Amino acid sequence: MSPAASTEAAMTTFPKPDAQSAAKAKTAPKTKSAPKARLAPKRQRSPTDSLDDFLNDHHDNRPPIDQMESEIRSSRYYLALHSLNEAVSNADRMRMLRFGGAGVVIQVPSADWVPAMRMAAEKLTRFNHVTARTGSSRSSDKPDQGNAEVADFLGASGRVLGISQAPDQYLPSALISAADVRIKIGTPSNAVIRRAILSITGNKGGRMPKNIAQGLSFDVLAACLRKGTSAGACVRRLVAAAKANSTIDPTLADVPLLKDVHGYGRAGEYARALAEDFSEWKAGRREWSSLERSILFAGEPGTPPRSSSGSFGCARRWTPRSSTTLPERS
């Protein structure tokens, strides 16, 4: 073979393999893969898990109620807040803030004030220890309970707050004796009602009867002040509530008035004195806790206790509880 032929043979080209063949050539030989590990089954919640376990898995990141936006605060809060601001003097505010701690006792008109007043009081300053008692717990709401905690916090220059409708009866005796500030909350004045209406509705309340809140419970007052309604509507609800509170039972229409009842002796004198005490309370000159709120009329068979109790109810514009005739003793 000549050199030219040899060169020509060396340069001879072979057919180019197709793309599929080239891909197979580049692919490494497959090896048998190890069997996939079985995934662990998801944990099934035991039917015996408690509600607390479930809730603990879902954290509540909402802020405390006293840090929430003002538009979702209740009318109970604003009633308590404005009542407290009216009752606290500048001197009392300074005593709470001074160095050396302070013991503060707040007396509210009734037990239903306590939760809202606690929230409002904690806006005045930061308290290190708070005890709010209504007498609902016979074991812990006593003067001899909680004194060690009060002594520890006051001794460490802390601030201690106590709230109750009867502080001397329910709060720790150490706090009562060592209190630096004592605040007494009365029936909300018309000025307090106006401020509460402004905070709730954004509008000022107009003219209203004198002592519009007198005789109404805290919950009734809060129910009458509603967000999303006008200030005038709030006042009208308060007037209607006061009127409903003083309505006489129609079944007592024929019962004589207390001043016209005679022949009951000491019982009649007692009833007239008690009616006068209730008048003093409604006028804001006496405390509710100082009144005798239960009366038992008893007598020989034939004594008409309903007429005497009915006369008392008419005098106070309240409906008495129905009387019961007890069997005679043998």
Side-chain angles (χ1 to χ4, degrees):
M1 182 181 294
S2 62
S6 175
T7 303
E8 184 178 335
M11 296 177 63
T12 301
T13 58
F14 297 93
K16 186 177 180 181
D18 58 321
Q20 186 176 2
S21 301
K24 288 182 179 180
K26 292 180 180 179
T27 303
K30 292 183 178 181
T31 58
K32 189 174 181 181
S33 60
K36 293 182 178 180
R38 292 184 178 180
L39 296 176
K42 292 184 177 180
R43 177 180 177 269
Q44 298 293 328
R45 183 172 293 277
S46 171
T48 59
D49 285 351
S50 66
L51 178 61
D52 290 337
D53 295 331
F54 174 78
L55 294 177
N56 289 336
D57 293 340
H58 299 76
H59 299 288
D60 186 357
N61 296 320
R62 293 177 298 176
I65 186 68
D66 60 337
Q67 297 178 15
M68 291 185 180
E69 296 298 325
S70 59
E71 58 266 18
I72 65 174
R73 287 180 179 151
S74 68
S75 53
R76 294 165 57 87
Y77 168 79
Y78 286 112
L79 280 170
L81 178 66
H82 293 303
S83 296
L84 181 61
N85 285 334
E86 184 180 72
V88 179
S89 65
N90 291 332
D92 289 338
R93 295 177 189 270
M94 294 302 297
R95 291 190 188 97
M96 293 184 208
L97 299 175
R98 69 185 179 186
F99 180 77
V104 181
V105 174
I106 300 179
Q107 180 178 350
V108 292
S110 57
D112 48 1
W113 279 77
V114 172
M117 184 56 65
R118 174 173 183 169
M119 192 190 313
E122 291 180 339
K123 299 295 291 183
L124 293 175
T125 185
R126 179 179 177 273
F127 289 96
N128 304 102
H129 181 64
V130 179
T131 175
R133 299 178 179 179
T134 62
S136 58
S137 174
R138 294 186 178 182
S139 59
S140 60
D141 292 0
K142 298 189 297 185
D144 59 351
Q145 298 295 315
N147 290 300
E149 291 83 353
V150 170
D152 288 342
F153 281 105
L154 288 180
S157 297
R159 298 186 184 94
V160 178
L161 170 65
I163 306 174
S164 178
Q165 77 277 18
D168 295 333
Q169 185 176 354
Y170 298 130
L171 292 183
S173 58
L175 178 59
I176 297 298
S177 300
D180 303 282
V181 178
R182 294 193 68 137
I183 303 168
K184 188 175 183 179
I185 307 296
T187 301
S189 64
N190 283 18
V192 168
I193 297 297
R194 285 194 175 92
R195 295 189 192 104
I197 290 176
L198 178 61
S199 298
I200 295 166
T201 67
N203 299 308
K204 294 182 178 180
R207 296 180 61 184
M208 59 183 67
K210 184 180 179 181
N211 300 326
I212 192 172
Q214 191 69 47
L216 298 179
S217 70
F218 183 63
D219 289 334
V220 171
L221 290 172
C224 292
L225 309 184
R226 304 175 191 173
K227 181 177 174 59
T229 63
S230 66
C234 293
V235 174
R236 288 191 292 273
R237 279 190 289 269
L238 288 170
V239 173
K243 184 177 180 180
N245 194 49
S246 61
T247 300
I248 299 176
D249 187 349
T251 62
L252 302 178
D254 58 343
V255 174
L257 297 177
L258 188 62
K259 64 184 181 64
D260 299 327
V261 174
H262 304 285
Y264 285 96
R266 293 179 59 189
E269 296 175 3
Y270 175 83
R272 283 187 286 272
L274 189 57
E276 182 63 28
D277 291 343
F278 274 105
S279 297
E280 291 290 303
W281 167 74
K282 294 199 73 174
R285 294 188 289 268
R286 288 198 61 165
E287 291 298 320
W288 175 256
S289 58
S290 68
L291 302 181
E292 295 187 44
R293 299 177 291 277
S294 300
I295 309 172
L296 174 63
F297 289 92
E300 298 297 329
T303 302
R306 178 164 176 78
S307 62
S308 56
S309 62
S311 297
F312 180 78
C314 287
R316 297 298 89 231
R317 294 187 175 271
W318 293 330
T319 302
R321 300 290 178 89
S322 60
S323 57
T324 302
T325 301
L326 301 178
E328 294 185 67
R329 292 184 180 180
S330 57

